[in-house]
């Protein structure tokens, strides 16, 4: 089954404690991205990757890092989380970044205390 | 800067009512347009998309959208809604000049009264 998986699905942490949210897709897609969803703001792109070792900033990259060492994986790293990073995070993948459907993961609800 | 506006933040309808959700974007060039839906507790999934050709696009579950270039709009419609259509709906736009970025609207929450 074609899918995008994320782990963990729920996470409560404290300010400053480094965390990683994993994302994996089994569709051999080249393009992957991370979004955060906040009430009234919709989805905002954090980072995207056009292929292995190729990443770039989206609209709200501050406080986040990503890596793309393998095609299927695109982890999101918060080196020093802060309460304003409390949000719902989605990973997505697509074959053609401009025209193709994006396939979304189930989301990770992060709370930073 | 490109932007996408969804002016209806929360729409409440009765079953069998007709639906139209507005979506306007700001970009003068060629665009690709999408509507995604997020059912309660689920991840986003594609409803329909427009790239070129017939400006009236039909999607899943009886939804359709019309691209009106002169109005920079891509409104979502359904002639008769069901309780199961309760969800949040997002319009998204990709501009040809920035193929790596897709801009989402803020979303419209649709509540259907049984």
């Amino acid at each position: 089954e074609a899918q995008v998986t994320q782990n963990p699905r729920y996470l409560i942490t404290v300010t400053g404690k480094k965390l990683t949210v994993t994302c994996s897709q089994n569709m051999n897609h080249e393009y992957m991205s991370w979004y955060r969803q906040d009430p009234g703001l919709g989805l905002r792109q954090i980072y995207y990757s056009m292929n292995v070792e190729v990443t770039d900033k989206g609209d709200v990259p501050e406080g986040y890092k990503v890596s793309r060492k393998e095609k299927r994986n695109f982890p999101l790293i918060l080196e020093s989380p802060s309460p304003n990073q409390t949000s719902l995070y989605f990973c997505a993948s697509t074959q053609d970044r401009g025209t193709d459907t994006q396939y979304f993961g189930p989301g990770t609800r992060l709370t930073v205390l | 800067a490109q932007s996408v506006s969804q002016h209806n933040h929360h729409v409440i309808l009765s079953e069998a009512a007709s639906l139209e959700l507005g979506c306007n974007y700001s970009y003068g060039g060629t665009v690709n347009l999408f509507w995604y839906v997020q059912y309660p507790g689920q991840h986003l999934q594609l409803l329909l998309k427009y790239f070129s050709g017939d400006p009236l696009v039909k999607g899943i579950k009886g939804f359709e959208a019309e691209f009106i270039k002169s109005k920079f709009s891509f409104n979502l419609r359904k002639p008769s809604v069901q309780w199961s259509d309760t969800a949040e709906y997002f319009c998204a736009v990709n501009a040809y000049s920035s193929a790596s970025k897709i801009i989402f609207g803020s979303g419209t929450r649709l509540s259907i009264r049984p």
Side-chain angles (χ1 to χ4, degrees):
Chain A
E1 181 192 353
Q3 61 180 349
V4 178
T5 57
Q6 293 178 231
N7 281 292
R9 296 287 313 279
Y10 303 90
L11 179 60
I12 301 174
T13 189
V14 295
T15 299
K17 187 176 181 183
K18 180 179 178 179
L19 67 92
T20 299
V21 184
T22 64
C23 173
S24 183
Q25 51 95 1
N26 62 0
M27 295 166 279
N28 202 37
H29 285 165
E30 293 186 348
Y31 181 79
M32 298 183 73
S33 56
W34 276 102
Y35 296 89
R36 60 178 289 173
Q37 183 181 9
D38 301 290
L41 297 176
L43 277 82
R44 293 178 294 168
Q45 193 177 50
I46 302 170
Y47 267 95
Y48 62 90
S49 169
M50 289 179 278
N51 214 323
V52 175
E53 302 292 1
V54 181
T55 64
D56 207 349
K57 296 176 181 178
D59 294 314
V60 288
E62 293 77 21
Y64 304 95
K65 284 175 56 178
V66 292
S67 69
R68 189 92 180 271
K69 293 184 170 55
E70 305 166 280
K71 198 171 187 178
R72 64 182 290 125
N73 296 323
F74 189 44
L76 179 70
I77 304 155
L78 284 72
E79 294 271 2
S80 183
S82 62
N84 65 11
Q85 293 178 298
T86 293
S87 187
L88 179 59
Y89 291 87
F90 288 100
C91 179
S93 76
T94 183
Q95 183 55 33
D96 184 320
R97 58 185 187 263
T99 60
D100 205 0
T101 302
Q102 289 203 77
Y103 293 84
F104 286 85
T108 295
R109 187 166 291 282
L110 172 66
T111 301
V112 183
L113 303 174
Chain B
Q2 301 159 26
S3 65
V4 179
S5 297
Q6 292 182 246
H7 301 295
N8 312 108
H9 298 296
H10 189 193
V11 173
I12 303 173
L13 296 172
S14 298
E15 276 196 311
S18 64
L19 168 72
E20 180 159 2
L21 301 182
C23 172
N24 289 89
Y25 63 92
S26 63
Y27 181 71
T30 304
V31 292
N32 298 320
L33 301 158
F34 306 82
W35 275 98
Y36 285 86
V37 61
Q38 186 178 29
Y39 297 104
Q42 296 188 27
H43 55 279
L44 281 86
Q45 55 188 284
L46 183 73
L47 263 184
L48 49 79
K49 57 187 178 183
Y50 171 81
F51 298 152
S52 63
D54 189 343
L56 184 61
V57 180
K58 294 194 184 301
I60 61 171
K61 305 188 180 188
F63 285 91
E64 64 179 32
E66 185 175 13
F67 171 48
I68 303 180
K69 190 174 182 179
S70 60
K71 294 184 178 180
F72 299 91
S73 70
F74 189 56
N75 293 354
L76 181 71
R77 300 195 294 246
K78 186 171 184 178
S80 176
V81 295
Q82 302 169 304
W83 179 80
S84 59
D85 293 324
T86 295
E88 190 151 18
Y89 293 81
F90 293 92
C91 180
V93 175
N94 165 253
Y96 268 37
S97 67
S98 62
S100 300
K101 184 179 287 190
I102 294 181
I103 308 293
F104 282 82
S106 56
T108 297
R109 185 155 64 100
L110 175 64
S111 300
I112 305 298
R113 291 190 289 250

